Amino acid sequence: MRSNESSPCNHLIKGIGFPPRKGWFLWLIFFLYTLTLSAESYQEVIIHGSGRENAVQQNIAVLLADRLKEAGLPLAAIPGNRYTPDTKHRERLHILLCLQGTQREADSLMQEHRIAPLTQLDPGPEGFLLFKVPGEAILLAVGTDERGTLYAVGEFLRETRVKDHVLQLPDDLNIRTAPAFEVRGTQVQQSDVARKMGKARPWTVKETQRVILDYALAGANVFSTDEGWMYDFLKSFGLMTQGDFGANAAAGPVPAAWNASESIGRSGYVCLSVPDARKYMLEQCEKKFSGNRDYDFVKFYGGDGGGCECDKCKPYGLTFIKTVAEMADIIHKYHPATKIYFTNQKFDNNDDQAIFAYLQEKPREWLWAWGYGPGSDATTWQPGHRQTHRMDLFRYPGYGPYGLYPKEIIRQMPPRHKLLYYNEITHWKYAQHAFVQMYPRADKNGDLPPHWSHDIYERRPDQFLTMVYNRLSFYACPRNYYRVFQDLMPYGSGDITHSSGHHDHFNQWMWQRLLWNPRTTLEEVVESYCRTWFGPEAAPSMAKALLLLEQNIGEQPGCPLDKKESVQAYCDLVAEAGRKMDPQTLATDWCWRMYRQKGWLDRYTQLKVRQQKALQARIEQSVAAALQSADPDPAIRGCLGWFDLKESEEMKNIRLSADRLGEESNRIFGERNDGLYNLEHDFIGLGWLKRQLERALVAKGKAKTELLQRITDYENPGEGGFYDNLGTGNKAPHVVAGYPYDHGQPYVAGMLSEGNRPSQRSLHFTQDEKQGVTLHYSHLDPKARYKIRVTLVRPWYQDRYAERMVQKSESIYANDLLVAKDVELPLQMSDFFTFDLPAKATESGEMTLRFEKSANVATGDRVAVEQWRNSGGWGTLVAEVWLMKR
């Protein structure tokens, strides 16, 4: 009997698809052959109930019938009468879909086959039994409770298939199982990025409902909603609902005196220490929850824009939790069964400690759980910039950084409360568990992650693909999110994940399956996803493709996008899967089309990068030859005529194919990859190269030669010199102070010009620290005279941040000797600055090069400085440094 343990069948599939092995195709044929031998076929299905079903049970039966009809089974009926024995029609499968103890025939068959009744311990709440009666065309689909029957339907649909209008069912189907976690949920919506950037048509209500049911059939039991129709729809299938409320999020314009000192200065939030503002928020809470809509859960979120940094609110965690307690009383006045939880997103250590003390002071019966979402973790440096971290927890790493703080929360929190996750698995870059676009900045105390946790910050997105795709772009990251799940979930009671669209389809589906059975291996869950969405024949190819996709979208040291052979391999695997798919399934499969588009667009980007790099190499060769001639100008003019690059035929065909697939996926289900409309980029800094040639053309003598030499030998500092390429993951051996610049907020186009070379776009910085970016050199020649060349650039900021970004310049010191005062950094497009160093600075054989922030930077009251820091403020900022002999 199958339970939550993996089956021998799954192990065989794992052997076929992971990893590639000699003779795998023969194994696949053997597997499919044995599957055919062990499966029974039916041309008709009749679904039977007890005759006493309520509306929820009836809807679940109709859902099963609809999905079978949709798959091509012509007769899937739900008769009003109860089951009677049928020995004449062996091609007709009878499904007894019912609750435990409500259908006499199902009870009788369970007794006959010595199957124990379903209980709250065996298999457990929301559990079910799927049992194919040996020798009979009868299937028992019995639920412990209402939702148990819904999950029985989901498992039935995963275990069977309809091909050529015939249902194939394993004749030994015998599954008794229940979910491992109490709370299994997410959010469902079509993202603005899909509609605006991907030009996807809006979803219909019916399509949104379908997505909800897809996740419910995978095991989800709760969904976040504020929509009236969505609430009613969820309840019609016995699913739970979650409402959200921002404890200090205003519903509209408020008096200026009420405004919070929000962490990055955004408006729309009130200071809860202002009595009238607090009263207003309590009234807003009552207004929202006084109706007849009984939410099963209400989440009070504390971060991502919320909170108040003012001194009156400190510690804000205490101000927040006391306000939430009053709001909980309001909700429980109308809805006593609603479970309340809060999230500590972006709170600092003092905030959390104040909440712990509040919870420990006396029983807080109104609170169900501590919620843990983006910015909640005091032991990882995630986007959102939690301002302080629990460095005391790092002494012994245990299983690594993800699990350290959940374990601490469980230790400090009274046992009456649960830990509930609000994991963010929706963005592919710059997010809670996503690829990290830049290495973390130091927090307010100057703390950075310990060395043994660097691996999670070295997962960077491919530097070229990140220019093409929005954060809400279609992707999958099986390995990383499987690791995150295994590290985090042992401490929690479940997860209601954050999802801001449908681009995270695999991640969300996998999460629901793992919440049902966390012992499922990575290979098994990937294979199950592919079998469910693409069919058993295509599953091995698609499973390999998904793992390659995760590899392709990540930065691989020493293997940039133009050298990744796995990009084409991914395309080939998805194409292969399409050829193996059942034609009827393929005709309406939006999901396969999205994976296919992703491959084409990655491949197009790869070819474009190769094209641009080939042009760069061609120009460098031409310039190298020109440097040997008496007159390099003709060669320079020739190079300047090469920049108008055209699509190759292969690129054109790929783009047209991706566009066609996008039209199809949009027509089928309102899905299209946003990258289709964002392919034109200067990936490698051709803009800098063109500007350098233009400058060289008008320069004379030695200046012309130096400009051209920077093209042919860019990094070379000359004999006895040194070059440091500052920024994330680059070689900068002389840096002793500062850290890679992370822009403060998700990188947006235009912050820095694409015309910069990659080395010019990646920088080190400091914030309000007294010491700026610093480099230390030793073993210098005491008799030599030195100069420095630095690459400087400053970012453009969006309007909501620009007002406080007064920094434009910095000073440079060699040891304590001033080299340059208030050097203004160019906006967006970098440039070089060269300065001679005083002989005294290097005569000892050692020299410290220090950048110092301008006097007017990071000044003012504490709140203003914190807002400046949190929104990307920099005090010193440097991209590259050459120390050269004169």
Side-chain angles (χ1 to χ4, degrees), residues 719-781:
E719 185 179 352
F722 304 93
Y723 168 73
D724 284 79
N725 180 11
L726 285 71
T728 304
N730 299 330
K731 187 176 181 181
H734 299 97
V735 173
V736 294
Y739 27 86
Y741 183 54
D742 74 346
H743 310 290
Q745 295 298 310
Y747 182 80
V748 295
M751 289 190 76
L752 294 176
S753 170
E754 290 183 355
N756 292 298
R757 292 171 62 105
S759 61
Q760 296 164 349
R761 303 172 196 160
S762 189
L763 312 97
H764 263 56
F765 85 127
T766 54
Q767 301 170 92
D768 57 334
E769 301 94 331
K770 184 176 180 180
Q771 181 177 6
V773 175
T774 305
L775 296 88
H776 182 75
Y777 301 89
S778 58
H779 306 295
L780 302 180
D781 182 351

Side-chain angles (χ1 to χ4, degrees), residues 633-647:
D633 286 358
I636 295 173
R637 292 190 185 96
C639 291
L640 287 169
W642 297 343
F643 282 87
D644 187 18
L645 295 174
K646 305 295 184 184
E647 279 185 332

